[in-house]
Amino acid sequence: MRRGVIFDLDGTLVDTTYLHVVAWWEAFRSRRRDILMLDVHGAIGRADRALLDYLLPEAGEEEAQAISDAHAEIYKPQLDNVRPVPGAGELMRTLADRGLTVVVATSAPKDQAERLVKITGAEDAVAVLVHAGDVDKSKPHPEPVRQALDKSGISAEQAFMIGDSVWDALSARAAGAACLGVRSGGIDTASLRDAGAEAVYKDCRDLLYNLEESPLERLLRS
């Protein structure tokens, strides 16, 4: 079985978390729903419907769809402003060059996911992309990570998930994979560790600079 790393995308490889927070906040307000930005931020990392069920469980199908559509329209113009997280592309290339299979697993739709991966400048290092259309359930359910493992041929015992949210860590743990956290999405170290992250770094560049002392060294040496 292959060894590999499964990267989350938003907040981990590209600096989009707070763009999503504001877009969701405005989308909720468009339906006269006041949701604290703090709560919106904590829900980022879930797919649209899962996020809505988490923040507004009483919403019916029509309202939920209207809020989701509003978020998409508000967020879309911001795509031109997205920048990679420091060290993201370099970390992906380094791990691929050292023999690990690099996978990206995201709740973003395929076209948006492909566009964001290109922003990292390391799209050629990505062996497999798992997007919203590939799964029925979102993180923290294990399906996104399991799908990434199945499509890439990576063994769960030989895999690390790298993500910025508690949902990434919970999904990885449920799928039997280890997890490393990054704080580039704004979630604190204690929360990421409590969710199951084995170690936490500021961002991809911090992990890259400390790669030899990181838990990833287990994969690189095996």
Side-chain angles (χ1 to χ4, degrees):
M1 297 292 286
R2 295 179 179 177
R3 299 167 293 131
V5 176
I6 303 165
F7 283 95
D8 172 58
L9 183 54
D10 285 287
T12 300
L13 297 176
V14 288
D15 191 14
T16 53
T17 296
Y18 291 96
L19 298 176
H20 276 297
V21 169
V22 173
W24 277 114
W25 179 78
E26 292 185 1
F28 281 118
R29 285 176 62 85
S30 74
R31 298 291 293 193
R32 299 183 180 179
R33 295 285 196 169
D34 279 326
I35 307 292
L36 279 174
M37 284 193 181
L38 174 67
D39 293 330
V40 176
H41 179 238
I44 298 297
R46 288 172 169 257
D48 286 15
R49 185 65 214 214
L51 180 147
L52 286 159
D53 287 344
Y54 182 72
L55 292 174
L56 201 64
E58 70 272 22
E61 188 64 37
E62 182 179 349
E63 182 181 19
Q65 189 61 54
I67 294 172
S68 180
D69 290 344
H71 163 262
E73 286 303 309
I74 295 165
Y75 176 72
K76 186 176 180 180
Q78 296 299 326
L79 282 168
D80 292 334
N81 300 322
V82 174
R83 297 293 180 267
V85 166
E90 189 177 356
L91 176 61
M92 295 160 73
R93 288 184 185 280
T94 297
L95 295 177
D97 288 345
R98 293 190 61 177
L100 299 187
T101 299
V102 174
V103 181
V104 173
T106 176
S107 58
K110 182 181 179 182
D111 58 343
Q112 189 179 114
E114 290 175 341
R115 180 174 177 177
L116 293 175
V117 168
K118 286 182 180 180
I119 288 172
T120 69
E123 63 269 26
D124 57 325
V126 178
V128 173
L129 172 63
V130 175
H131 52 80
D134 290 324
V135 296
D136 295 320
K137 299 182 183 296
S138 83
K139 305 165 190 171
H141 194 277
E143 184 182 2
V145 176
R146 286 175 179 164
Q147 184 75 339
L149 296 171
D150 290 344
K151 289 184 71 172
S152 63
I154 301 170
S155 162
E157 294 76 20
Q158 294 291 312
F160 267 89
M161 174 88 191
I162 299 177
D164 68 294
S165 75
V166 298
W167 317 120
D168 296 318
L170 291 171
S171 180
R173 187 168 64 181
C179 179
L180 298 180
V182 287
R183 293 187 287 106
S184 44
I187 303 300
D188 63 276
T189 296
S191 296
L192 292 169
R193 280 192 171 275
D194 286 347
E198 196 169 320
V200 179
Y201 301 86
K202 178 184 178 182
D203 53 25
C204 288
R205 182 165 59 190
D206 185 28
L207 173 54
L208 179 63
Y209 287 172
N210 293 282
L211 192 59
E212 303 305 322
E213 294 78 36
S214 78
L216 277 178
E217 186 63 16
R218 296 202 302 267
L219 291 186
L220 295 171
R221 289 180 178 175
S222 61

